[in-house]
Amino acid sequence: MGRARLAELHGVATSYEPAPGRTVQVPEDTVVAVLAALGVDASTPESVREALDRHESRQRDQLLPPCVVVRPGKAPRLSLPEGTALRVRPEDGAPHTRGRAAAGTRGADSPLTESRTESVHMGGVLTAGATADGLLTALVALPPGAHTLLAEAPDGRRATAPLIVAPDRMPLSPVRSHGFLVQLYSLLSARSWGMGDLGDLADLAAWSGRALGAGFVQINPLHAAVPGTPGAPTDPSPYRPSSRRFPDPVHLRIEDVPEFVQLRGPARERADQLLEAATALRTSVLREGALIDRDAVWALKREALELVRTVPLSPGRRAAYCDFLAERGQALEDHALWCALAETHGPEWRTWPGGLADPRSAATARARTEHLDRTDFHCWLAWLTDTQLAAAQRAALDAGMGIGLVHDLAVGVHPSGADAWALQDVFASGMSIGAPPDAFNSRGQDWGLPPWRPDALAATGYAPYRDLLRGLLRHAGALRIDHVMGLFRLWWVPEGREPTEGCYVRYDAEAMLGALALEAHRAGTVVIGEDLGTVEPGVREELERRGVLGTSVMWFERNYNGAGAARPLSPGEWRADCLATVTTHDLPSTAARLTGDHVELRHRLGLLTRPLAEERAADAVEVAEWLALLGRLGLLPEGPGDEEGAVKAVHRFLLRTPARMVGVWLPDAVGDRRPQNLPGTWDQYPNWRLPIADAEGRPMSLEELVASPRLRALMAEVARLAPR
């Protein structure tokens, strides 16, 4: 019982429900390992008692919790001695709060102003009631921000805690909109260097905004990848990045760097040779059927960028670069130093020599000086990428898009990457996040990504999380959060154990959502949560209350409440606060789903769990149910057997729902049958390496895409039915 109590106090679940009415107990060893990762020794009965005693002692002695979060209508819960004085130090460092409330009184003596500072006296246990109203009135009057709360008790004890004052809801787009969903690497133009780049993104946004009335373009995460090494290519998955705080310069359009055109002499000659090599690389993908080779692309771009860096920046651009360095500060310096050290010692920082595995060691401090030039090189790359991201968002907005770019936040980072190195104190060592066993995967999942430590995040006022969000939202009209349920809880798997032996660890959702709302409010961005799969009760409802749009995929939108087979939901039964799509990057394309090609693919790769005939029959029944509904609604005038007509019909269906955003998977518009990612495969299928192709599998350039009669016919139908 003591260990269970200790686990509960630290948000560690000792059981879970893989299905309604079925409870599974978490192995004791798992609970011990997870608590150890949180800095709590629960290995013996004696250590459990000592840990409980320490926890109770801290609870008795502390004036303030590790972090305080407040928003309109939501009072903080504080236990303070009678007569404790509270003050607020605003985020900008200039105190400007004023107010007074005593135990048992309602409200403050005076409203908050920006000219004076006085104590806010509180007493008793603050819950919903008069005392809480007084403090809430005082705190809500502060501007949204990450402030500091200071407490002084009558006995002389003092404490400080981060204070997050958050808006109640995320910003929402005032109008409904439609747009494309695309994996940027797969979108090659006649100017690409072997994979899609930020110039291609700007072109797609400008064209689709002006010609199609699109309101957004959603892309995959552009996070920096862990670099490959000889014999170990870069992991092409955008969901296992080195850093979520900075984008990858592999996405740069080299010719758009202003200094590129100023190359002269031998540097110009070499740059022209690199352009020829890039043309050959692009041709191999678009005309010869080669896979996208990220490492080959980066080898060419890196050499070109080394040449470009020899050209001095103009005074204005030098000033802009210095501003970027100052704004991104320590986070950028750490990221760039990791990149420099990885070039010398390889990306596995745990094997680095002489204390370099510690970002704050004396050896690392010396390395900052020794690797100053390479560190500056990687800082410069981050700046160039940031400027092209800004240009792409400007192109989208200038084209009339209401939202523009929708960026994607991966659920975690690679354990060997820059973020895991620089932020070791806020990641749980020896743990990986994943998913528990369920009806679709009896073995569970281990994603190989270290989780945030909820206690460490709270102690920092969620600063690493807020900094991450702020960087991502710099040039975004909206942000998609992968596995948004992770703001509430994550499945932790101890190193060396099977995913079935993991457990849930709970996060302070009020704080995680508060920090998200604060940064989204500052940036004016819409937030979309990927809430597919297993979602605990109440999570979707809370996300909706806070203004986080959900993700609704047509094939999954069924009524699962009845005793019989789950029927497809009619358009009027869909939720309004969502991004509605037919498919995603992890699912079959619409053409493959309609024709059953996705079943054949999984059969060839040995991924089916039932006989082929049984899988075919079940898939055909599901597709027939949807086509029958489309027919009854009058959305399939082309009749049965018309693949292009059926693709149009499913999008007509989406546009009849109340969804705020309707996304068209760009490969669907040209009949591409290949998924970009096939879960459950590694080297059996070319995940994350395929260019967009037509129905025959022929790769298509951006120029061919925009000229495609099939794409134009579909998008004309979308534009005709989309709300103006």
Side-chain angles (χ1 to χ4, degrees):
M1 289 297 293
R3 185 174 288 150
R5 172 62 178 156
L6 192 60
E8 180 184 14
L9 291 171
H10 290 86
V12 179
T14 55
S15 65
Y16 67 97
E17 292 188 5
R22 178 169 170 251
T23 300
V24 175
Q25 296 299 315
V26 172
E28 285 282 327
D29 289 349
T30 295
V31 175
V32 171
V34 169
L35 284 170
L38 293 170
V40 180
D41 183 1
S43 58
T44 66
E46 293 76 19
S47 63
V48 168
R49 284 195 296 271
E50 291 173 4
L52 285 170
D53 290 342
R54 284 194 300 271
H55 185 274
E56 291 173 3
S57 177
R58 283 196 303 268
Q59 292 294 101
R60 267 194 321 269
D61 296 341
Q62 74 174 14
L63 286 177
L64 296 173
C67 183
V68 178
V69 180
V70 63
R71 60 183 168 95
K74 185 71 173 181
R77 297 181 62 86
L78 304 175
S79 296
L80 299 170
E82 185 75 27
T84 297
L86 295 179
R87 292 185 297 116
V88 174
R89 182 188 301 132
E91 187 172 25
D92 60 10
H96 62 267
T97 65
R98 184 173 186 270
R100 184 178 299 275
T105 65
R106 182 174 182 82
D109 290 339
S110 59
L112 293 181
T113 69
E114 296 192 359
S115 59
R116 291 171 292 177
T117 302
E118 279 190 19
S119 298
V120 181
H121 292 290
M122 305 300 301
V125 178
L126 302 186
T127 57
T131 305
D133 288 346
L135 180 60
L136 182 61
T137 300
L139 296 180
V140 169
L142 287 166
H147 311 299
T148 303
L149 188 62
L150 304 94
E152 184 173 358
D155 60 9
R157 286 180 298 154
R158 296 183 178 184
T160 62
L163 169 65
I164 296 176
V165 179
D168 192 47
R169 290 174 57 83
M170 317 290 162
L172 284 177
S173 174
V175 296
R176 294 183 67 196
S177 59
H178 66 278
F180 283 123
L181 283 61
V182 63
Q183 300 283 289
L184 179 57
Y185 60 83
S186 71
L187 182 71
L188 284 74
S189 73
R191 295 177 62 189
S192 302
W193 286 34
M195 61 182 283
D197 60 36
L198 291 171
D200 298 324
L201 176 60
D203 278 348
L204 176 66
W207 170 75
S208 60
R210 287 186 164 87
L212 306 178
F216 63 89
V217 174
Q218 178 182 304
I219 53 177
N220 54 285
L222 303 184
H223 308 322
V226 176
T229 58
T234 300
D235 186 343
S237 171
Y239 292 94
R240 272 175 63 83
S242 168
S243 175
R244 297 184 294 176
R245 299 190 290 179
F246 296 96
D248 199 309
V250 76
H251 300 109
L252 283 169
R253 168 71 61 84
I254 301 299
E255 301 94 316
D256 287 353
V257 178
E259 290 74 26
F260 181 78
V261 299
Q262 299 176 41
L263 291 172
R264 298 289 184 270
R268 177 76 269 163
E269 293 176 6
R270 181 55 184 157
D272 290 341
Q273 293 171 355
L274 292 172
L275 283 170
E276 292 178 6
T279 298
L281 195 57
R282 177 179 64 248
T283 300
S284 71
V285 174
L286 290 177
R287 300 290 173 258
E288 299 169 13
L291 297 175
I292 292 169
D293 187 339
R294 182 191 185 102
D295 288 336
V297 172
W298 178 234
L300 295 178
K301 290 189 176 184
R302 182 179 56 206
E303 185 177 350
L305 289 163
E306 297 278 9
L307 296 172
V308 172
R309 190 166 176 254
T310 64
V311 178
L313 295 173
S314 69
R317 280 176 60 75
R318 168 61 62 180
Y321 177 44
C322 290
D323 282 350
F324 179 77
L325 292 175
E327 183 179 359
R328 301 312 301 270
Q330 186 70 54
L332 175 59
E333 183 183 334
D334 285 345
H335 172 72
L337 178 60
W338 181 91
C339 293
L341 291 173
E343 289 177 335
T344 303
H345 304 294
E348 179 46 75
W349 55 265
R350 291 174 182 82
T351 66
W352 288 352
L356 295 178
D358 179 358
R360 305 296 170 239
S361 70
T364 302
R366 289 192 298 272
R368 292 180 190 274
T369 301
E370 295 165 359
H371 295 270
L372 189 60
D373 182 68
R374 292 307 294 175
T375 300
D376 183 66
F377 175 68
H378 290 287
C379 287
W380 176 71
L381 293 181
W383 172 62
L384 293 180
T385 313
D386 185 79
T387 61
Q388 291 196 8
L389 278 169
Q393 176 66 350
R394 281 197 304 273
L397 298 180
D398 289 348
M401 287 188 168
I403 293 176
L405 303 184
V406 181
H407 287 284
D408 197 350
L409 172 60
V411 69
V413 295
H414 197 288
S416 298
D419 284 1
W421 174 73
L423 299 172
Q424 294 175 46
D425 54 339
V426 293
F427 283 111
S429 177
M431 293 290 144
S432 173
I433 58 175
D438 57 26
F440 301 99
N441 191 332
S442 61
R443 299 177 61 185
Q445 300 175 54
D446 183 346
W447 302 331
L449 310 170
W452 294 118
R453 278 184 58 163
D455 57 332
L457 281 180
T460 66
Y462 294 83
Y465 173 54
R466 290 187 288 105
D467 290 346
L468 163 64
L469 293 171
R470 194 174 306 124
L472 282 167
L473 298 176
R474 287 168 62 85
H475 310 302
L479 177 67
R480 174 192 180 269
I481 299 179
D482 191 40
H483 194 70
V484 72
M485 299 82 77
L487 301 182
F488 295 78
R489 65 177 185 177
L490 282 171
W491 184 257
W492 288 24
V493 181
E495 187 176 310
R497 296 181 182 274
E498 294 296 320
T500 53
E501 298 178 77
C503 72
Y504 278 115
V505 175
R506 190 159 295 282
Y507 292 76
D508 185 343
E510 182 66 28
M512 298 291 280
L513 287 169
L516 176 60
L518 172 60
E519 298 305 332
H521 168 78
R522 286 168 157 166
T525 52
V526 176
V527 177
I528 304 162
E530 186 271 296
D531 57 352
L532 303 173
T534 302
V535 184
E536 65 178 319
V539 166
R540 285 197 176 101
E541 293 77 7
E542 179 61 17
L543 292 172
E544 182 179 4
R545 282 193 292 270
R546 301 301 298 275
V548 177
L549 301 184
T551 300
S552 294
V553 177
M554 191 193 81
W555 304 104
F556 300 154
E557 290 298 305
R558 290 173 170 269
N559 182 352
Y560 293 97
N561 297 326
R567 61 170 178 79
L569 292 181
S570 63
E573 295 177 289
W574 282 47
R575 54 183 171 174
D577 290 334
C578 74
L579 165 64
T581 69
V582 181
T583 190
T584 75
H585 58 266
D586 282 333
L587 295 173
S589 71
T590 301
R593 175 79 72 168
L594 292 169
T595 59
D597 282 5
H598 71 109
V599 176
E600 303 298 330
L601 173 62
R602 293 179 65 82
H603 172 63
R604 290 196 300 273
L605 297 176
L607 299 176
L608 297 183
T609 58
R610 296 181 293 182
L612 175 60
E614 191 175 334
E615 290 279 358
R616 282 174 175 164
D619 185 68
V621 168
E622 182 178 353
V623 171
E625 287 178 334
W626 279 103
L627 292 177
L629 175 59
L630 297 173
R632 291 195 299 273
L633 294 173
L635 300 176
L636 189 54
E638 295 86 355
D642 187 322
E643 180 187 305
E644 287 190 47
V647 173
K648 290 177 184 176
V650 294
H651 288 92
R652 293 174 186 133
F653 179 92
L654 292 185
L655 291 162
R656 191 173 286 193
T657 73
R660 283 182 176 270
M661 298 172 67
V662 173
V664 178
W665 177 236
L666 183 55
D668 273 353
V670 290
D672 196 345
R673 280 164 162 68
R674 305 170 306 172
Q676 284 294 317
N677 178 50
L678 188 58
T681 63
W682 175 243
D683 56 0
Q684 308 99 312
Y685 185 81
N687 294 318
W688 317 112
R689 289 175 288 167
L690 293 171
I692 297 174
D694 63 15
E696 285 71 46
R698 183 182 65 85
M700 300 181 71
S701 67
L702 173 59
E703 292 79 6
E704 292 170 320
L705 283 167
V706 302
S708 164
R710 180 165 178 165
L711 181 146
R712 287 182 171 272
L714 172 63
M715 297 312 295
E717 194 72 358
V718 170
R720 181 180 70 83
L721 296 172
R724 298 291 181 181

